Amino acid sequence: MKIPKISVRALDKFYGKQERRVHALSKINLEVAAGEFVTLVGASGCGKSTLLRTIGGLEEYADGDILCNDVMVDGPGADRAMVFQSFSLYPWLTVSENIRFCRRLKYKRENLTSSDVEIASGRADALVELMGLDHVKHSYPAELSGGMQQRVAIARALMGKPDVLLMDEPFGALDAQTREVMHDLIRHVYLLEKTTVVFVTHDVEEAIYLGQRVVVMAPRPGRIDAIIKIPFDTSRQQDLKLTPEFNEIKRSILQRIRETSGIKTDLEQLAKLTRVG
Amino acid sequence: MQLEPLPRPASDSPVQLNFPRNRRTAWSVRGEISRSTRLALAVIGFLLPFIAWFVLSHSGLMEEVFMPTPMKVLQSAVDWWSDGNLVTDIFISIERIFGGFLLSAVIALPLGVMIGTYAPARALLEPLTDFSRYLPAVAFIPLIMLWVGIDESAKITVIFVGTFFQMVLMLAEDVARVPSPAIEAARTMGATNSEVVKHVILRAARPAMVDTLRSCMGLAWTYLVVAELVASNSGLGFSILKAQRFLHTDKIFAGILMIGLIGLITDQLFRWVHRAAFRWHYLRS
């Protein structure tokens, strides 16, 4: 059997102390195969971002195991590059310098041969090309639109050839039209780079369109509620979002999220209020 | 279903010169004014007090000892300069200011970075610094004279005490304001702790830190007169104190204006360096 890229076993995580303690993640079990695109979706407070950040090594965990390539995760590392929603680019570096940022770091410099340097610089150019950043590669991030900035962030994360790309609502701050473009771009990049991707979003449509598996999470305590295998093949196009099959999956996921996150009771209460009025 | 688009508006429709609507006046909240108006108002802001001073001092309502005329102040500055003392006074004062300021900066920079970056350093040093910030620098003068003596180092120490604690806290705040995703992104690219500090925190906080140094330079200038209370025989602050003793109000005015002018020049220099060094900071898409 092949070793999964990421393996989360019986992960428990708490925030705070004693009676103020919040059960952020409860008994999480999840395996992500090499080359798989997994999306985590759920209402706010369900722990999807926490789970992603814990896999990224940015959050402590006390109980359970997280393994990447069968090695225990203990802190962040270049094997698990992360893309954030915003404010992660370095505004004092140009686009091309941002993408090459990881090459300033020691672990990259130490075991480097001259042919590596050439390959790396070729890779940076290829990523610039792939992301459609050629015309802005000497610009600074502040001169770019939000969508273009996220392209830079993705290219920068891919530069170090990470085993897994962790994406924390990377398109959450973008407008709907730009987001559609980014969806097709990230799918294209994923098919080309053959990376493993774990992608967090609150947008169910996004989760289905991008993922091979959608992990639906529920709050209080943060847990995995359901895992849905998406039956569409890799060649997906925007119109897929309008098909009955797609909408059927969307409906069932939305229903689970409403049921588990308490949105339903809110609606009932609203109905009560209007009756009183 | 196929959407039927509406016909586009004809592009050659005649230009209509309507009376502008929804106009915001200059005094609406967050209203805007033209560049020329802004400049004119800035000049007026400077001129008004001078005109008031001119009128008041010439009206005879104020005695000349209390308020000398602008011409008299200018004359006193010219005399001061032709004595050959003004230039020396300016340079000795600048030396003291820069001495105290640089000493502050050299110690405050590493401390501020430590406090803003590492939780134990913050826990250890921030409460103490917060407290020390309120210690009156003036009251330290007798102690400084006992410990440091009465030569140049004493004057520099007064300015140091006046600026240092404020500077540490402001620098720590600048460092702490670097956005977390910028730091976390570096860590997930394999950066070590020291690399995060060197390649991300120090770079990201630099514009804010230079701005902090600029504010603290202003603070240092306000302590000049106090510093030159200590056994001085030269300097702008000392000259003001001496003029005070002989009720030479014209020279007091000249001294105060001179400090204001030099302060303004250093401030503008800092701003210029800021703009030149951090071009990326001023970019907008």
Side-chain angles (χ1 to χ4, degrees):
Chain A
M1 201 194 105
K2 276 179 83 180
I3 300 166
K5 266 285 150 187
I6 296 282
S7 178
V8 181
R9 294 177 199 154
L11 176 71
D12 260 278
K13 183 174 164 52
F14 296 89
Y15 282 123
K17 291 257 163 70
Q18 273 121 38
E19 69 268 24
R20 289 257 189 104
R21 211 161 77 142
V22 177
H23 203 167
L25 293 173
S26 163
K27 294 278 168 298
I28 303 283
N29 285 295
L30 182 67
E31 287 197 344
V32 180
E36 199 181 8
F37 199 130
V38 171
T39 51
L40 308 181
V41 72
S44 55
C46 69
K48 55 189 191 297
S49 269
T50 307
L51 175 56
L52 190 81
R53 290 171 55 82
T54 315
I55 295 171
L58 297 171
E59 301 271 347
E60 279 185 355
Y61 63 104
D63 298 307
D65 300 311
I66 299 176
L67 298 110
C68 178
N69 283 331
D70 228 14
V71 178
M72 188 76 72
V73 164
D74 187 18
D79 52 341
R80 285 156 288 128
M82 197 143 161
V83 178
F84 298 82
Q85 186 172 353
S86 49
F87 303 119
S88 77
L89 289 181
Y90 302 132
W92 59 93
L93 299 177
T94 63
V95 166
S96 142
E97 288 166 341
N98 259 289
I99 292 172
R100 283 161 219 254
F101 179 81
C102 69
R103 297 182 53 208
R104 293 166 190 247
L105 306 175
K106 190 155 150 256
Y107 87 97
K108 279 279 167 196
R109 283 197 312 260
E110 261 179 354
N111 27 45
L112 213 63
T113 63
S114 61
S115 75
D116 283 341
V117 174
E118 267 168 45
I119 291 166
S121 131
R123 177 165 174 76
D125 291 337
L127 282 168
V128 164
E129 191 84 23
L130 177 64
M131 289 291 173
L133 294 165
D134 211 36
H135 61 298
V136 293
K137 63 181 174 191
H138 299 303
S139 306
Y140 287 92
E143 296 172 295
L144 308 183
S145 65
M148 290 303 250
Q149 289 186 14
Q150 284 311 78
R151 290 178 193 217
V152 181
I154 294 166
R156 187 181 63 178
L158 288 170
M159 182 66 198
K161 284 203 181 234
D163 282 313
V164 190
L165 189 61
L166 304 173
M167 307 184 85
D168 192 1
E169 302 201 24
F171 310 140
L174 305 180
D175 62 85
Q177 283 72 39
T178 310
R179 212 178 310 168
E180 278 193 356
V181 176
M182 296 301 283
H183 288 164
D184 288 336
L185 180 69
I186 192 70
R187 285 206 54 81
H188 181 64
V189 169
Y190 158 71
L191 293 174
L192 215 69
E193 284 270 317
K194 299 181 178 66
T195 30
T196 311
V197 184
V198 183
F199 189 108
V200 163
T201 178
H202 56 256
D203 180 347
V204 175
E205 198 174 275
E206 182 170 88
I208 302 167
Y209 187 66
L210 295 179
Q212 289 166 344
R213 274 195 302 156
V214 176
V215 177
V216 183
M217 294 185 68
R220 284 176 301 271
R223 63 194 188 274
I224 292 178
D225 183 59
I227 297 180
I228 295 128
K229 210 165 152 39
I230 303 301
F232 311 119
D233 65 1
T234 46
S235 61
R236 302 178 186 180
Q237 300 203 334
Q238 289 297 332
D239 279 350
L240 178 70
K241 292 175 183 172
L242 305 170
T243 59
E245 297 95 315
F246 189 96
N247 279 299
E248 192 42 50
I249 300 170
K250 187 175 165 184
R251 188 196 316 277
S252 56
I253 293 178
L254 279 174
Q255 204 158 8
R256 283 309 300 161
I257 291 175
R258 282 188 195 129
E259 261 167 44
T260 55
S261 66
I263 293 171
K264 223 171 187 172
T265 46
D266 287 352
L267 284 174
E268 276 161 17
Q269 249 165 6
L270 204 62
K272 250 182 243 164
L273 279 176
T274 31
R275 255 200 308 277
V276 169
Chain B
M1 186 190 72
Q2 193 76 32
L3 282 184
E4 204 60 58
L6 292 169
R8 283 162 159 244
S11 58
D12 54 350
S13 57
V15 179
Q16 295 191 343
L17 286 170
N18 283 333
F19 187 77
R21 309 273 155 68
N22 285 355
R23 269 230 301 215
R24 287 201 293 173
T25 66
W27 287 101
S28 56
V29 174
R30 300 257 162 102
E32 281 173 15
I33 53 174
S34 69
R35 194 184 148 79
S36 52
T37 320
R38 199 168 64 235
L39 266 172
L41 286 174
V43 171
I44 291 172
F46 255 102
L47 279 182
L48 269 182
F50 272 90
I51 292 169
W53 173 23
F54 187 87
V55 170
L56 216 58
S57 58
H58 278 90
S59 65
L61 286 171
M62 300 283 279
E63 263 190 77
E64 205 171 305
V65 181
F66 295 139
M67 187 177 276
T69 63
M71 280 317 288
K72 197 127 190 290
V73 170
L74 189 66
Q75 186 58 50
S76 133
V78 170
D79 290 345
W80 193 355
W81 185 70
S82 50
D83 288 349
N85 286 333
L86 179 59
V87 178
T88 338
D89 282 336
I90 287 176
F91 274 99
I92 196 89
S93 287
I94 287 180
E95 230 176 272
R96 286 164 184 161
I97 292 288
F98 272 80
F101 174 81
L102 286 179
L103 187 65
S104 280
V106 164
I107 306 173
L109 277 167
L111 275 180
V113 172
M114 291 294 287
I115 294 175
T117 308
Y118 299 108
R122 174 170 290 248
L124 183 72
L125 298 170
E126 199 185 36
L128 176 71
T129 319
D130 248 331
F131 164 74
S132 311
R133 181 157 68 119
Y134 290 100
L135 300 179
V138 190
F140 270 83
I141 288 177
L143 292 175
I144 289 170
M145 282 160 77
L146 279 174
W147 295 337
V148 186
I150 54 166
D151 54 0
E152 283 308 295
S153 49
K155 288 130 206 161
I156 288 172
T157 309
V158 174
I159 291 168
F160 172 82
V161 171
T163 51
F164 173 72
F165 301 105
Q166 199 73 33
M167 195 189 268
V168 171
L169 289 176
M170 287 168 78
L171 288 173
E173 203 45 49
D174 295 338
V175 169
R177 265 205 297 267
V178 174
S180 295
I183 293 167
E184 288 173 340
R187 296 180 67 204
T188 67
M189 284 187 275
T192 60
N193 260 331
S194 61
E195 282 175 328
V196 168
V197 172
K198 184 178 159 212
H199 291 302
V200 181
I201 293 183
L202 287 180
R203 293 298 305 265
R206 217 178 276 179
M209 287 164 97
V210 171
D211 247 346
T212 291
L213 292 182
R214 181 175 63 81
S215 319
C216 288
M217 184 55 117
L219 196 63
W221 275 101
T222 63
Y223 281 100
L224 178 68
V225 179
V226 178
E228 292 182 350
L229 274 173
V230 187
S232 288
N233 48 27
S234 59
L236 290 170
F238 163 76
S239 302
I240 292 172
L241 292 168
K242 198 175 73 175
Q244 178 188 325
R245 223 171 294 152
F246 299 106
L247 222 60
H248 288 158
T249 32
D250 48 347
K251 197 165 180 184
I252 297 179
F253 266 66
I256 291 172
L257 289 177
M258 201 59 74
I259 291 178
L261 193 65
I262 298 170
L264 185 69
I265 291 169
T266 37
D267 198 85
Q268 290 301 316
L269 272 175
F270 261 103
R271 282 178 200 270
W272 179 80
V273 168
H274 200 275
R275 272 195 300 272
F278 309 120
R279 291 239 337 269
W280 57 269
H281 187 79
Y282 294 88
L283 294 173
R284 281 285 163 270
S285 56

